[in-house]
Amino acid sequence: MSEPRAERCPVRVVAVVVSYNRRELLARSLAALAEGRRRPDALVVVDNASTDGSPEFLAGLDVPFEYELVRLEQNTGGAGGFAVGMAAALARHSPDLIWVMDDDTVPLEGTLEEAVRLWESCPTTDRPAFIASRVVWTDGRDHPMNTMRDRWDSSTEDRAFAHARRARVIRSASFVSLFVDAEAVRALGLPVADFFLWNDDFEFTARLARRRLGLASLDSVVEHHTRLYDSNTADVGERFRFEVRNKIWTFFRSPALAPHEKALYGASTLRRWGVMVRSSPRPRVVLRAGLEGLREGLSRPPRPNEEVLAPVGGVPAASSSRPQSAQPADGASQPGGRELPEFSVLLPVYAGDSAERVRRAIASVTADQTVAPDQLVIVRDGPVGEDIERILVEAERGESLAADVVRLPAGVGLAEALDEGLGRCRHDVVARMDADDVALPARFERQLALLGEGYDIVGSAIAEIGDDESRPFASRPVPVTHREIMAQLDFRTPFNHPSVMYRASAVQAAGGYRGVPDMEDYWLWARMLHAGSLGANVPDVLVLYRVNDGAYVRRGGKRMLVAELRLQRRMLGARYIGPMGFARNVLVRGLYRLVPTGVRRRGYRKAFTEQPASAEVPRTAAPGEAAG
């Protein structure tokens, strides 16, 4: 696995402990945190309306690191507590890793140190979604409640990767002691608070690890001070309702599991439930609770966290990214003291563009940016109208940044126009932009930070807009890590082309844009990534992408079908996909090109976009500011 070319900054760890009426165990757990060879940088304790003196103890707690007490006025269960605690950590403590644990968990002297060692040993392009500690009971035996299963379908490469780091590849984990990548939480969401008890950790970690690596450390060890050396088949009485309901929600209301995994986990769950009922001294009570959970799980989905947690003040407003230090107006440096590279913006224009939208696009990538480009290259792809030509002349005469306008005498198409423009870019780092889109102010600042970590292609999520850029239709999420990008590459493009910033040298080494007209970007990403380029995406919306009635029309028809078949043949010939992948892509992607436009629009938006939570356009934080 390739290693990005970047200096590593110290890993900032924020511990989150959720407690309810276990003052003595909680005190032991927090004391152990302070006695480790490495201490957390901050601690968030969520008290779930305890009545045993815990609030008074926590109010007077003195620890040698940042400390925040979140006091809830009613018990929200482990699910609600961890959702609130993680959100508070993200909102106010700027974590790289969030270390979540129960109040009956006792860390050992090297628990945190070993987890961070494992984390730092992983390439920045392949950081795991989470690292689970090994959990033992008070007598040192592995605890059966917290024994994570190896991921049965992990690759030989992943198993070797983990083995070399004294770890195992796992599919899910518990909240007893779990180190979670803060960026994974920002991208994939918090635990589901409505689960209340049980399976919240299973659903959450399975969701994070569906397309990312999950590891269990052999050397980061904690003690779980449960009353009994228990197992998952112990009689839980009326609380079996939560077990059944939450499993139903996980199987049918969550993206955590693939279809084949639902079948496997479902069979295992039914077997375990059968053992529990047979061994229960109160089988009728357990069965009645299970039927109630089944009815509830099938009748409604889990409620949004905002609704569940409204009685306790809601979810803390987590920032969408780690707060950055304020930058100088010219973008001279970035956090950590590294110089920001000089970069060019490459923007093609043709006669079909709107003059006012061209003007807006130019302003959005120059005057509106928190870090402005050093060069703007505009490629005029053939003759344009007088209104657009006037804007190009204005851009050439710009006071703060005079654009380099490349005027092609005849239209040559997007691929050739971009290759021509790349040849005129003075800097190796180049940002793509379309003439009718809008870049949000912190776009380049956010992407340059990732390029500074050693990536070669950095994109972002985008929001589809019409004439009113403040009201998005939908957003297009993206795979975030290099691992996720490579997992998606054989079926669909992992980057939104107008959002991309890349190294021109890597683009040119792969042969540039030419080769597959109308699919030039997808074919370019495939060649670059398979040649060793490193890719990443910012999970937040950084570009507003214009769509109109013709947008989905242009994605279909005979021309696009021919382009699709040409692309798939190239992918097969290059061995980027095999015969089965070729057949799947031709069938699915080819059919997409042939269905009626209305069906294509609805199908694409259902499969690949998310509806906005509100009518307002996503807002990106300015430097030094947390986005709400």
Side-chain angles (χ1 to χ4, degrees):
M1 297 186 183
S2 301
E3 180 73 28
R5 304 167 293 278
E7 301 174 7
R8 282 182 171 159
C9 298
V11 178
R12 181 171 171 80
V13 181
V14 178
V16 173
V17 180
V18 175
S19 182
Y20 175 67
N21 279 351
R22 289 198 284 210
R23 183 181 182 280
E24 291 185 6
L25 286 171
L26 174 64
R28 186 185 307 175
S29 176
L30 299 183
L33 279 179
E35 293 168 0
R37 288 198 298 266
R38 172 165 178 165
R39 298 166 175 167
D41 298 281
L43 168 66
V44 176
V45 178
V46 179
D47 178 58
N48 248 329
S50 296
T51 58
D52 65 342
S54 293
E56 294 77 15
F57 162 71
L58 291 169
L61 184 66
D62 183 21
V63 288
F65 31 74
E66 294 176 24
Y67 170 54
E68 177 182 358
L69 171 61
V70 180
R71 166 73 177 164
L72 304 182
E73 295 304 318
Q74 69 181 49
N75 185 5
T76 63
F82 282 115
V84 169
M86 289 187 200
L90 290 170
R92 296 186 281 271
H93 299 283
S94 306
D96 294 304
L97 283 174
I98 304 174
W99 183 12
V100 298
M101 71 187 78
D102 286 335
D103 54 3
D104 57 356
T105 301
V106 177
L108 304 186
E109 187 179 35
T111 302
L112 175 54
E113 181 181 61
E114 292 298 334
V116 171
R117 179 194 61 78
L118 174 56
W119 174 262
E120 290 183 321
S121 75
C122 298
T124 54
T125 54
D126 216 4
R127 288 278 169 76
F130 58 78
I131 294 171
S133 298
R134 178 182 163 218
V135 182
V136 300
W137 198 44
T138 54
D139 61 2
R141 288 181 291 170
D142 284 342
H143 206 307
M145 287 180 65
N146 311 112
T147 301
M148 275 66 73
R149 299 177 182 175
D150 289 340
R151 182 165 190 154
W152 66 272
D153 61 348
S154 61
S155 67
T156 301
E157 180 187 18
D158 283 350
R159 288 195 295 271
F161 177 82
H163 180 75
R165 291 162 173 77
R166 289 190 51 76
R168 297 159 38 221
V169 182
I170 58 174
R171 184 64 180 87
S172 63
S174 76
F175 282 159
V176 169
S177 176
L178 186 71
F179 298 84
V180 188
D181 177 12
E183 289 300 328
V185 183
R186 293 183 181 110
L188 299 172
L190 296 163
V192 180
D194 210 16
F195 275 50
F196 189 69
L197 295 177
W198 291 327
N199 296 306
D200 51 323
D201 47 6
F202 173 66
E203 188 279 335
F204 174 75
T205 56
R207 182 176 3 122
L208 266 58
R210 182 167 178 182
R211 293 183 176 86
R212 288 188 61 177
L213 195 65
L215 295 179
S217 172
L218 301 180
D219 298 321
S220 173
V221 183
V222 297
E223 293 179 352
H224 193 190
H225 285 230
T226 57
R227 187 171 57 87
L228 300 173
Y229 181 71
D230 207 350
S231 76
N232 287 326
T233 58
D235 180 9
V236 295
E238 293 182 353
R239 292 186 297 170
F240 189 51
R241 164 200 165 201
F242 299 114
E243 159 71 13
V244 173
R245 181 195 67 183
N246 297 349
K247 272 294 196 318
I248 296 295
W249 281 346
T250 301
F251 290 157
F252 299 107
R253 305 284 191 172
S254 167
L257 301 175
H260 68 279
E261 292 177 316
K262 292 177 183 179
L264 292 172
Y265 280 110
S268 174
T269 297
L270 290 173
R271 181 194 60 78
R272 182 167 53 80
W273 287 352
V275 172
M276 190 194 71
V277 172
R278 284 198 306 272
S279 61
S280 172
R282 304 172 297 164
R284 290 186 178 181
V285 172
V286 174
L287 284 172
R288 186 167 56 248
L291 289 173
E292 174 60 22
L294 178 64
R295 182 199 63 77
E296 189 174 0
L298 293 175
S299 64
R300 69 172 181 89
R303 295 169 293 163
N305 281 3
E306 292 76 12
E307 178 182 339
V308 175
L309 299 172
V312 294
V315 183
S319 62
S320 61
S321 65
R322 182 170 179 172
Q324 306 268 339
S325 301
Q327 301 296 326
D330 61 0
S333 64
Q334 64 180 354
R338 295 193 300 270
E339 290 294 314
L340 288 174
E342 295 183 332
F343 69 100
S344 305
V345 173
L346 176 56
L347 189 155
V349 176
Y350 83 115
D353 288 320
S354 157
E356 286 308 308
R357 289 180 178 177
V358 172
R359 189 189 303 277
R360 176 72 180 104
I362 291 173
S364 77
V365 294
T366 53
D368 294 351
Q369 287 295 309
T370 58
V371 175
D374 301 278
Q375 182 191 22
L376 172 61
V377 176
I378 302 175
V379 181
R380 193 197 71 179
D381 187 15
V384 296
E386 292 182 1
D387 51 354
I388 293 180
E389 187 61 39
R390 279 197 298 270
I391 293 171
L392 299 183
V393 172
E394 289 175 11
E396 287 179 303
R397 297 172 179 171
E399 293 183 4
S400 59
L401 181 65
D404 295 322
V405 179
V406 181
R407 291 176 172 84
L408 302 180
V412 296
L414 181 61
E416 192 169 337
L418 290 174
D419 279 338
E420 184 69 29
L422 273 175
R424 305 295 184 93
C425 290
R426 294 193 297 268
H427 308 293
D428 188 44
V429 175
V430 175
R432 272 282 290 114
M433 184 65 183
D434 280 349
D436 55 355
D437 297 337
V438 178
L440 295 184
R443 175 190 166 184
F444 298 151
E445 180 182 14
R446 298 283 302 280
Q447 291 181 303
L448 287 167
L450 281 175
L451 282 164
E453 293 181 11
Y455 293 95
D456 302 294
I457 320 170
V458 176
S460 77
I462 63 177
E464 293 185 352
I465 59 170
D467 292 330
D468 183 355
E469 64 185 62
S470 69
R471 303 186 69 83
F473 303 137
S475 63
R476 297 188 199 173
V478 283
V480 175
T481 67
H482 184 72
R483 168 181 295 271
E484 293 173 285
I485 286 167
M486 294 304 294
Q488 180 173 303
L489 185 61
D490 66 346
F491 180 65
R492 61 184 291 251
T493 177
F495 299 105
N496 293 311
H497 191 193
S499 76
V500 162
M501 181 177 271
Y502 48 48
R503 300 183 192 278
S505 55
V507 173
Q508 291 161 345
Y513 278 95
R514 293 179 179 89
V516 182
D518 298 316
M519 295 282 184
E520 57 277 326
D521 56 334
Y522 192 173
W523 178 232
L524 174 60
W525 313 143
R527 284 177 286 137
M528 291 177 67
L529 292 166
H530 280 285
S533 291
L534 303 175
N537 275 303
V538 176
D540 307 312
V541 170
L542 298 183
V543 172
L544 307 181
Y545 177 74
R546 302 272 187 191
V547 295
N548 52 36
D549 292 339
Y552 287 94
V553 174
R554 291 191 295 272
R555 293 178 186 171
K558 181 179 178 180
R559 173 176 169 171
M560 290 305 297
L561 178 61
V562 170
E564 186 67 64
L565 295 175
R566 185 185 298 117
L567 171 67
Q568 298 306 324
R569 285 196 298 269
R570 291 289 186 93
M571 298 272 280
L572 179 64
R575 297 187 178 180
Y576 299 160
I577 57 175
M580 293 297 292
F582 174 80
R584 175 202 61 192
N585 291 358
V586 168
L587 178 63
V588 178
R589 291 176 60 92
L591 181 63
Y592 171 78
R593 307 298 175 188
L594 296 177
V595 298
T597 301
V599 175
R600 185 180 306 116
R601 181 191 298 111
R602 289 191 297 271
Y604 183 90
R605 285 189 171 169
K606 183 174 180 60
F608 300 121
T609 70
E610 297 175 348
Q611 298 306 305
S614 70
E616 297 303 317
V617 71
R619 178 175 171 271
T620 300
E625 174 190 12

